[in-house]
Amino acid sequence: MHILSVDVGTTSMRGILYDSSGRALNTASRQTPLVFKNGLIEQTPEAFLKSLVSICQETTEQFPVDAVSLTAFRSAPTLVDEDGEALCNFIMWQDTRNQEICERLSWADDMVYQTCGAGLNAVFTASKITWLREQRPELYHKARKAMVVPDFLIHFMTGRFVTDYTYGSRSSLMNIRTLKWDDEMCRLFQVDKEKLCTLIPQGSTAGQIQKSFSQITGIREGIPVICAGGDQQCSALGLGALDASSLVINSGTGSFILSLSDEPYLKNHSMICNVSAIPGMYILESNILACAAAVNWLIKELFPELWLGGEPDFERFNALASQAPPLSGGILCVPHFQGCGTRDWNPAARASFSGLSLGNSRADLARALYEGIAAEIARSVSALPASCQNAEKIYVGGGLSKSSVYNQILSDMLGKPLLKYPDSQATAIGAFASAAVTLGLFPHYQAALAAARKGTEAESCTPSESLHALYLEYIKKTEHIYQVLKP
């Protein structure tokens, strides 16, 4: 049996074809650059459809596909008609056009948190749909459904209007306890329940490949499509977070700090509680909104020789950062390039570099950004429940984890050892494990992960006790700067 894992990221999509033993046979990826216009951040439906078709065609040239497993980023809605055709671009999760709506409903923040597992936030789907209803009423009333990206792609493949619990838990419309669309939340956000897709369990069969998709991709009609869950949930699964004894730090465009719980945790407004990729489990999540995105900005603007052909040269950038001393010659970085994330949910917050002198170099700035990001992650970890803070294992993944400089800084900042697998495909591996267990290829997730990771061992990064003590002071200083400059 061959399983095609499709991982839909914010700016790229990749597909990895696995055989029944968990061995990767073929890989394809496509870029899906964001559309920026007048301060708005969108993506065209065509970009996702074109990339999905192309990836399916390329990865299946040599092998037949017996199942497709889909995972995707989670909070970017569009409106579709009766045929599932998009009526407008997707409003991306970074887009804050709906912030005014969140502020208008701020009186209901605790009610939203206690019902949905997260307070009011411009990132989540519901207020973006509210914006569409208020600003584009003709499209809203014409629409059959409001869909996030994975729903849209599942319909394209299967013809069904479904979404799984992990995406529901990022919407501010699903009750985190009952796993059903909540009438009170729908009234609050003025979203008609009939415009929402049918909720299904994560890791279940969303439908079968329909004839039209088979004809354009060559993938056999009738094979199952597994909705594996959101990308961060699948990443946590792929890195081996199966209970509260493990913690995952996934640093890509933004950074996500993830741990698991066997029941909803609703005691800290700064912590998001979502449904996990593992049925019956919940995931505790905090995030920093700009990580690799901030590094890209710094390279493009201050290191133009490392920005060739529209792509950053991370290897040379990391080599430069490694030349700077710890604490970056006195530079303090607060990395809120797109606002402050989970712990404060302050979209007006902005980044800063302070403490610069004529003795500083560009290498200091490079390292300072890594230190600022690591300090923000450390603050988020400290907000987790004690059981999660004391996790036996901390796994790192995402694009920034390819940097040994960044990993060492993060380990020193946390004062804990980190584990990193040599490959960076944790999300796709999680989607494979989800489908493989659903299809009966393995009895449980541990076995599926062991098969996919066969022959690879996690590398360990050990902290320096002396640097950790210095970084504890660094964390206090950067927090003071944030509070002083806080809008």
Side-chain angles (χ1 to χ4, degrees), residues 74-75 93-94 118 121-124 170 232 248-258 269-274 284-291 335-336 338-346 373 376-381 383-384:
R74 301 162 295 180
S75 303
W93 59 268
Q94 309 100 310
N121 192 292
V123 168
F124 300 139
R170 295 288 290 189
Q232 296 305 322
V248 165
I249 300 172
N250 195 22
S251 300
T253 302
S255 190
F256 295 83
I257 298 90
L258 310 160
H269 273 249
S270 70
M271 194 65 49
I272 297 170
C273 181
N274 286 163
L284 305 181
E285 177 180 325
S286 58
N287 68 301
I288 292 90
L289 300 179
C291 290
H336 301 318
Q338 288 184 303
C340 184
T342 306
R343 69 184 181 87
D344 203 0
W345 287 129
N346 182 3
I373 291 169
E376 193 64 22
I377 290 172
R379 274 187 283 270
S380 294
V381 171
L384 288 167

Side-chain angles (χ1 to χ4, degrees), residues 61-90:
E61 286 178 343
Q62 298 176 320
F63 304 95
V65 177
D66 301 294
V68 176
S69 186
L70 180 74
T71 179
F73 69 97
R74 301 162 295 180
S75 303
T78 189
L79 300 170
V80 303
D81 63 18
E82 291 284 341
D83 299 318
E85 298 285 340
L87 301 174
C88 58
N89 285 346
F90 287 92

Side-chain angles (χ1 to χ4, degrees), residues 48-207:
F48 292 120
L49 297 181
K50 183 179 178 180
S51 294
L52 178 62
V53 169
S54 180
I55 284 171
C56 287
Q57 291 171 336
E58 181 175 340
T59 54
T60 60
E61 286 178 343
Q62 298 176 320
F63 304 95
V65 177
D66 301 294
V68 176
S69 186
L70 180 74
T71 179
F73 69 97
R74 301 162 295 180
S75 303
T78 189
L79 300 170
V80 303
D81 63 18
E82 291 284 341
D83 299 318
E85 298 285 340
L87 301 174
C88 58
N89 285 346
F90 287 92
I91 302 175
M92 296 300 286
W93 59 268
Q94 309 100 310
D95 189 297
T96 58
R97 70 183 74 181
N98 50 324
Q99 180 61 30
E100 182 276 329
I101 295 169
C102 293
E103 293 171 357
R104 187 198 316 162
L105 298 176
S106 60
W107 60 269
D109 184 71
D110 187 65
M111 178 176 67
V112 175
Y113 173 73
Q114 293 297 332
T115 303
C116 305
L120 288 161
N121 192 292
V123 168
F124 300 139
T125 311
S127 57
K128 294 182 188 294
I129 300 175
T130 305
W131 186 91
L132 286 167
R133 177 172 184 150
E134 293 180 355
Q135 301 299 320
R136 299 183 182 177
E138 72 288 352
L139 295 184
Y140 179 85
H141 294 296
K142 178 182 177 181
R144 164 80 182 276
K145 296 289 182 183
M147 309 175 93
V148 290
V149 174
D151 311 342
F152 180 68
L153 296 179
I154 284 173
H155 183 273
F156 185 54
M157 288 188 281
T158 70
R160 298 191 67 206
F161 292 105
V162 297
T163 192
D164 78 35
Y165 297 149
T166 66
Y167 303 111
S169 69
R170 295 288 290 189
S171 68
S172 300
L173 295 170
M174 190 189 82
N175 189 302
I176 196 72
R177 297 178 182 86
T178 66
L179 305 181
K180 295 180 180 179
W181 298 124
D182 189 87
D183 289 333
E184 194 168 16
M185 293 297 101
C186 287
R187 284 193 294 270
L188 177 69
F189 289 100
Q190 297 184 331
V191 174
D192 298 291
K193 191 189 287 189
E194 62 269 19
K195 290 188 182 292
L196 300 175
C197 293
T198 301
L199 285 163
I200 61 174
Q202 69 278 34
S204 64
T205 300

